[in-house]
């Protein structure tokens, strides 16, 4: 028991919080749908992004550790330009409110589906649509109250431990999904060879599931601007310093590289194994439909418990990302206006803003008419459009002695960050026309 507790304590920290948040509904939706639509063909994307993910988040964490007590936007405004700090604020606050709304949609959809209530399908009457909307609104607000109670009833240290616990539960929950998938070992191994599959037509709709959109959403779920902007605040809150940089890197490798990597592969493999063979696999886009992924993880006689377990796991995943998204909004807002941004029980401004942002996101989520899982996939793509700006700022700050002192970025770190930047630019250039067309 002591060994287990020691291992658990070794994982707790900012990297664990970001890892738990990254393993949210956006990552789950992106990976499960990639598997359902393209089987194992996009496994190579997960393997390719892992070292970039680890070094990007760890590098951002170092900025907060070295500059204890200073917020990321304060550092950006002082060492780059105040206009850049304002740009980050004006872009990321509305985006992360949308992210929070997307997580509430997934939580609400997952919660209601546990009781047999699913979003009205095509051809549903107006009374059915209105009835579901009422349930959705009340459920969303009730879940907002639950989230606020969980976050505000404890301090920062307890939140870290709670998020890490959720991370471990999620890992083992989704491990069950993939246990029976390894009978396809040959095809799974082939999925690690880079290959962009053909786009998938959705029968009866005239639309396509675009393989490049799945690639972008997988990358966007991991290398997200929210994670890179939030972790300097988390590192500073945790009291990290120069003496813990090596230890923090080790935790990042464990949490973000090993655990997240295994988790991501399990999810995609499970989607490819359980959902891809279904006749309607191209049309899967809802929590209820995706819940079939766990049916094959159990003996046929008890296979019915699979969808509820998947739904519960997705609910927990959405909650962890929701907490991170709301924190990003608050950290950036308070820091930009020179307010105390430390997440502590006596910071009343933080607590009040947390309540406001959470309740507003919960209230607006039900009126955003779009399948819950596709909402978060869409927002993962938006992340890719924003991320190049954040990485450029990071590279600049990490190489300035005025910011990092003796701990400026090494050659290998700069090389990986530049690769990360180039990848994000290519993906952003591919995705930007789609978002411009939406406006």
């Amino acid at each position: 028991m002591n060994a287990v507790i020691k291992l658990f304590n070794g994982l707790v920290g900012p990297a664990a919080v970001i890892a738990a948040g990254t393993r949210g509904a956006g990552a789950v939706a992106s990976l499960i749908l990639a598997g359902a639509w393209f089987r194992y063909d996009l496994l190579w994307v997960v393997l390719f992004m892992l070292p970039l993910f680890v070094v990007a988040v760890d590098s951002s964490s170092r900025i907060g550790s070295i500059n204890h007590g200073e917020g990321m936007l304060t550092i950006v405004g002082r060492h780059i330009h105040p206009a850049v700090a304002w740009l980050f604020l004006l872009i990321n606050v509305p985006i992360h409110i949308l992210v929070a709304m997307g997580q509430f949609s997934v939580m609400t959809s997952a919660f209601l589906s546990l009781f047999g209530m699913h979003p009205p399908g095509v051809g549903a009457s107006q009374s059915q649509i209105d009835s579901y909307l009422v349930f959705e609104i009340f459920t969303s607000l009730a879940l907002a109250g639950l989230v606020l109670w969980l976050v505000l009833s404890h301090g920062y240290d307890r939140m870290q431990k709670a998020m890490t616990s959720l991370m471990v539960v999620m890992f083992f929950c989704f491990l069950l999904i993939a246990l029976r998938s390894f009978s396809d070992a040959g095809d799974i191994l082939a999925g690690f060879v880079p290959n962009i599959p053909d786009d998938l037509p959705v029968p009866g709709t005239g639309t396509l599931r675009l393989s490049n959109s799945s690639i972008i959403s997988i990358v966007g779920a991991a290398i997200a601007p929210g994670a890179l902007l939030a972790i300097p605040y988390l590192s500073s809150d945790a009291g990290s310093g120069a003496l813990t940089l090596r230890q923090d890197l080790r935790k990042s490798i464990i949490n973000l590289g090993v655990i997240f990597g295994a988790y991501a592969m399990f999810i995609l493999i499970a989607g490819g194994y359980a959902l891809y063979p279904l006749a309607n696999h191209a049309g899967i886009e809802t929590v209820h439909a995706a819940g079939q992924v766990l049916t094959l993880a159990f003996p046929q006689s008890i296979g019915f418990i699979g969808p509820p377990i998947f739904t519960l796991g997705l609910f927990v995943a959405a909650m962890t990302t929701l907490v991170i998204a709301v924190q990003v909004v608050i950290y950036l807002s308070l820091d930009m206006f020179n307010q105390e941004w430390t997440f502590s029980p006596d910071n009343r401004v933080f607590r009040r803003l947390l309540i406001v942002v959470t309740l507003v996101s919960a209230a607006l989520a039900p009126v955003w008419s779009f399948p819950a899982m596709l909402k978060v996939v869409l927002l993962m793509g938006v992340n890719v459009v924003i991320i190049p700006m954040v990485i450029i700022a990071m590279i600049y700050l990490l190489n300035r002695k005025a910011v990092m002192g003796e701990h400026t970025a090494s050659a290998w770190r700069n090389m990986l960050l530049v690769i990360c930047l180039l990848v994000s630019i290519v993906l952003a250039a591919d995705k930007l026309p789609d978002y411009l067309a939406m406006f």
Side-chain angles (χ1 to χ4, degrees), residues 108 111-112 117 128-143 366:
T108 301
F111 184 83
L112 291 177
M117 298 182 62
Q128 290 176 308
I129 295 173
D130 293 341
S131 176
Y132 185 83
L133 180 61
V134 170
F135 277 107
E136 193 175 12
I137 291 173
F138 279 104
T139 302
S140 185
L141 292 173
L143 292 176

Coordinates of all heavy atoms in Angstrom, one line a residue, residues 108 111-112 117 128-143 366:
T108 N -23.9 16.7 -20.1 CA -25.3 16.6 -20.0 C -25.9 15.4 -20.9 O -26.7 14.7 -20.4 CB -26.0 17.9 -20.5 OG1 -25.5 19.0 -19.7 CG2 -27.5 17.9 -20.5
F111 N -25.0 12.2 -19.1 CA -25.8 12.0 -17.9 C -27.2 11.5 -18.3 O -27.7 10.6 -17.7 CB -25.8 13.3 -17.1 CG -26.5 13.1 -15.8 CD1 -25.9 12.6 -14.6 CD2 -27.9 13.5 -15.7 CE1 -26.6 12.5 -13.4 CE2 -28.6 13.4 -14.5 CZ -27.9 12.9 -13.3
L112 N -27.8 12.2 -19.2 CA -29.2 11.9 -19.6 C -29.3 10.5 -20.3 O -30.2 9.8 -20.1 CB -29.8 13.0 -20.5 CG -30.0 14.3 -19.9 CD1 -30.5 15.3 -20.9 CD2 -31.1 14.2 -18.8
M117 N -32.4 8.7 -21.9 CA -32.8 9.9 -22.6 C -31.8 10.3 -23.6 O -30.6 10.6 -23.2 CB -33.1 11.0 -21.7 CG -34.2 10.7 -20.7 SD -34.6 12.2 -19.6 CE -35.1 13.4 -20.8
Q128 N -41.2 16.8 -28.7 CA -40.1 16.0 -28.2 C -38.8 16.8 -28.1 O -38.0 16.7 -27.1 CB -39.9 14.8 -29.1 CG -40.9 13.7 -29.1 CD -40.7 12.6 -30.1 OE1 -40.5 12.9 -31.3 NE2 -40.7 11.4 -29.7
I129 N -38.6 17.6 -29.1 CA -37.4 18.5 -29.1 C -37.4 19.5 -27.9 O -36.4 19.6 -27.2 CB -37.3 19.3 -30.4 CG1 -37.1 18.3 -31.6 CG2 -36.1 20.3 -30.3 CD1 -37.1 18.9 -32.9
D130 N -38.6 20.1 -27.7 CA -38.7 21.1 -26.6 C -38.6 20.4 -25.2 O -37.9 20.9 -24.3 CB -40.1 21.8 -26.6 CG -40.2 22.7 -27.9 OD1 -39.1 23.0 -28.4 OD2 -41.3 23.0 -28.3
S131 N -39.1 19.2 -25.1 CA -39.1 18.4 -23.8 C -37.6 18.1 -23.5 O -37.2 18.3 -22.3 CB -39.9 17.2 -23.9 OG -39.8 16.4 -22.7
Y132 N -36.9 17.6 -24.5 CA -35.5 17.3 -24.3 C -34.7 18.5 -23.9 O -33.8 18.5 -23.0 CB -34.9 16.6 -25.5 CG -33.4 16.1 -25.3 CD1 -33.2 14.9 -24.6 CD2 -32.4 16.9 -25.6 CE1 -31.9 14.4 -24.4 CE2 -31.0 16.5 -25.4 CZ -30.8 15.2 -24.8 OH -29.5 14.8 -24.6
L133 N -35.0 19.6 -24.6 CA -34.2 20.9 -24.3 C -34.4 21.3 -22.8 O -33.5 21.8 -22.2 CB -34.7 22.0 -25.2 CG -34.0 23.4 -25.0 CD1 -32.5 23.2 -25.3 CD2 -34.6 24.4 -26.0
V134 N -35.7 21.2 -22.3 CA -35.9 21.6 -20.9 C -35.1 20.7 -20.0 O -34.4 21.2 -19.0 CB -37.4 21.4 -20.6 CG1 -37.7 21.6 -19.1 CG2 -38.2 22.5 -21.4
F135 N -35.1 19.4 -20.2 CA -34.3 18.5 -19.4 C -32.8 18.8 -19.5 O -32.1 18.8 -18.5 CB -34.5 17.0 -19.8 CG -35.7 16.4 -19.2 CD1 -36.9 16.1 -20.0 CD2 -35.8 16.0 -17.9 CE1 -38.0 15.6 -19.5 CE2 -36.9 15.4 -17.3 CZ -38.0 15.2 -18.1
E136 N -32.4 19.2 -20.7 CA -31.0 19.5 -20.9 C -30.6 20.7 -20.2 O -29.5 20.8 -19.6 CB -30.7 19.7 -22.4 CG -29.3 19.7 -22.8 CD -29.1 19.8 -24.3 OE1 -30.0 20.0 -25.1 OE2 -27.9 19.6 -24.8
I137 N -31.4 21.8 -20.2 CA -31.1 23.0 -19.5 C -31.0 22.8 -18.0 O -30.0 23.2 -17.3 CB -32.2 24.1 -19.8 CG1 -32.1 24.5 -21.2 CG2 -32.0 25.3 -18.9 CD1 -33.2 25.4 -21.7
F138 N -32.0 22.1 -17.4 CA -31.9 21.9 -15.9 C -30.8 21.0 -15.6 O -30.1 21.2 -14.5 CB -33.3 21.3 -15.5 CG -34.4 22.3 -15.3 CD1 -35.4 22.4 -16.2 CD2 -34.4 23.1 -14.2 CE1 -36.4 23.3 -16.1 CE2 -35.4 24.0 -14.0 CZ -36.4 24.2 -15.0
T139 N -30.5 19.9 -16.4 CA -29.4 19.0 -16.1 C -28.1 19.8 -16.2 O -27.2 19.6 -15.3 CB -29.4 17.8 -17.1 OG1 -30.6 17.2 -17.0 CG2 -28.3 16.9 -16.7
S140 N -27.9 20.6 -17.2 CA -26.7 21.4 -17.3 C -26.4 22.3 -16.1 O -25.3 22.3 -15.6 CB -26.7 22.2 -18.6 OG -25.5 22.8 -18.9
L141 N -27.4 23.0 -15.7 CA -27.3 23.8 -14.5 C -27.0 23.1 -13.2 O -26.2 23.5 -12.4 CB -28.5 24.7 -14.3 CG -28.7 25.8 -15.4 CD1 -30.1 26.5 -15.3 CD2 -27.6 26.8 -15.4
A142 N -27.7 21.9 -13.1 CA -27.4 21.1 -11.9 C -26.0 20.5 -11.9 O -25.3 20.5 -10.9 CB -28.4 19.9 -11.9
L143 N -25.5 20.1 -13.1 CA -24.1 19.7 -13.2 C -23.1 20.8 -12.9 O -22.0 20.6 -12.3 CB -23.8 19.1 -14.5 CG -24.6 17.7 -14.8 CD1 -24.3 17.3 -16.3 CD2 -24.2 16.7 -13.9
P366 N -26.9 24.3 -23.8 CA -28.0 23.6 -24.4 C -28.6 24.3 -25.6 O -29.2 23.6 -26.5 CB -29.1 23.6 -23.3 CG -28.4 23.7 -22.0 CD -27.2 24.6 -22.4

